[in-house]
Amino acid sequence: MKGVSFHKRDALWMAHIIVEGKRKHLGCFKKQEEAIAARKAAESEFAKQAA
């Protein structure tokens, strides 16, 4: 999924989003599903702010 990647050294999933050309870190997670949920929540939140 876009905005979710695996950090091999720490064995954690990282989530981020790009807003107004700037990358915002959303957190590190042990499970991929948690990172995806954080990314989707951020998409919804920033979409509300833009409207």
Side-chain angles (χ1 to χ4, degrees):
M1 171 174 202
K2 186 176 183 179
V4 174
S5 59
F6 187 70
H7 192 266
K8 194 173 184 180
R9 185 189 72 196
D10 296 329
L12 293 172
W13 288 92
M14 301 172 76
H16 70 272
I17 191 168
I18 297 176
V19 179
E20 296 178 3
K22 295 185 180 182
R23 182 176 167 150
K24 299 195 180 273
H25 178 72
L26 301 174
C28 297
F29 306 89
K30 290 185 179 183
K31 296 182 180 180
Q32 181 182 20
E33 295 81 16
E34 294 171 339
I36 291 171
R39 168 70 170 155
K40 288 182 179 179
E43 284 178 17
S44 296
E45 183 63 32
F46 287 110
K48 286 180 188 174
Q49 290 177 5

